[in-house]
Amino acid sequence: GAGVSQSPSNKVTEKGKDVELRCDPISGHTALYWYRQSLGQGLEFLIYFQGNSAPDKSGLPSDRFSAERTGGSVSTLTIQRTQQEDSAVYLCASSPTGREAFFGQGTRLTVV
Amino acid sequence: DQQVKQNSPSLSVQEGRISILNCDYTNSMFDYFLWYKKYPAEGPTFLISISSIKDKNEDGRFTVFLNKSAKHLSLHIVPSQPGDSAVYFCAASEANSKLTFGKGITLSVRP
């Protein structure tokens, strides 16, 4: 049984470039979350998908950030025109119930 | 507005003793509470959870206590082991909603 898979595990990008981060949730999990953790900080909520409901986008820090979840499974977080303050570990999690969430290993994004 | 608060940034305990990690929340709509453990360079790992209809949940060495009137929960680890050294996050949620996390506490268990 595979867990939540995120790719790439590390990404270095130049300021101003766009990046896409991918999350493959655990099969059958209806809920999917994106969080990020900046250096020395806690877990910052970004976006939450639950089944066919409209996603909760209230945590997205700016309109440069967007996320999709296709077919109720794979999700992609896109950051346009990256800035240095976007550097963080981006964590994806999925849940069968919308209660206990199971996290992937994260994508470490460095904007230079 | 921090709805889940872990006010102590760190805790150090002797191996074999009890570790007590505290968490406070402000949102009375939260009805489910969780603890996660995180090692460096890894994603958080789910440890234990509790519904608001209970006041205690136990799983091996880990016990979570919930005091709804005080909006306070705690994680007890006994006996503590060096491998328990990690960052511990408290989280809370309402039904069909995001998890809101505290800032975490770094636990160090001394051999």
Side-chain angles (χ1 to χ4, degrees):
Chain A
V4 176
S5 177
Q6 292 187 245
S7 59
S9 54
N10 281 284
K11 175 73 175 179
V12 180
T13 190
E14 292 182 352
K15 178 181 171 181
K17 301 278 190 182
D18 297 353
V19 294
E20 285 190 350
L21 311 181
R22 178 185 169 103
C23 174
D24 284 272
I26 296 170
S27 178
H29 283 196
T30 58
L32 187 147
Y33 316 72
W34 283 97
Y35 289 83
R36 72 176 177 182
Q37 186 177 23
S38 302
L39 192 63
Q41 301 299 310
L43 293 168
E44 177 187 4
F45 167 72
L46 296 176
I47 189 168
Y48 167 63
F49 297 89
Q50 173 57 283
N52 296 321
S53 302
D56 176 358
K57 302 180 181 181
S58 61
L60 295 178
S62 77
D63 58 8
R64 296 186 296 105
F65 288 72
S66 62
E68 290 186 335
R69 188 177 186 193
T70 53
S73 181
V74 171
S75 178
T76 302
L77 177 69
T78 302
I79 310 173
Q80 296 179 311
R81 305 181 303 281
T82 52
Q83 304 294 313
Q84 287 188 326
E85 61 263 28
D86 299 335
S87 296
V89 176
Y90 288 80
L91 293 159
C92 176
S94 69
S95 173
T97 61
R99 293 303 199 180
E100 289 89 3
F102 299 91
F103 282 84
Q105 296 283 73
T107 294
R108 180 174 297 277
L109 175 67
T110 304
V111 181
V112 298
Chain B
D1 176 28
Q2 203 178 334
Q3 297 187 54
V4 177
K5 301 177 184 179
Q6 295 178 259
N7 292 319
S8 300
S10 63
L11 174 68
S12 180
V13 300
Q14 191 74 38
E15 180 179 6
R17 307 296 288 268
I18 186 170
S19 295
I20 299 176
L21 310 179
N22 293 307
C23 179
D24 298 292
Y25 63 96
T26 57
N27 186 346
S28 58
M29 298 301 292
F30 287 147
D31 65 353
Y32 205 79
F33 305 88
L34 310 92
W35 285 94
Y36 284 82
K37 173 181 180 179
K38 187 179 183 304
Y39 293 119
E42 294 185 9
T45 302
F46 168 71
L47 266 181
I48 192 168
S49 61
I50 187 166
S51 164
S52 60
I53 63 173
K54 296 186 174 182
D55 56 17
K56 177 182 175 181
N57 189 26
E58 189 172 355
D59 183 1
R61 297 186 297 113
F62 301 90
T63 303
V64 56
F65 295 92
L66 175 62
N67 182 333
K68 280 174 51 182
S69 61
K71 293 191 176 69
H72 177 84
L73 63 155
S74 60
L75 175 68
H76 293 209
I77 307 172
V78 58
S80 301
Q81 300 173 354
D84 296 330
S85 298
V87 178
Y88 288 78
F89 291 96
C90 170
S93 73
E94 306 172 43
N96 297 318
S97 184
K98 65 189 180 193
L99 295 178
T100 300
F101 284 84
K103 291 190 179 296
I105 179 171
T106 300
L107 173 66
S108 300
V109 180
R110 306 185 304 273

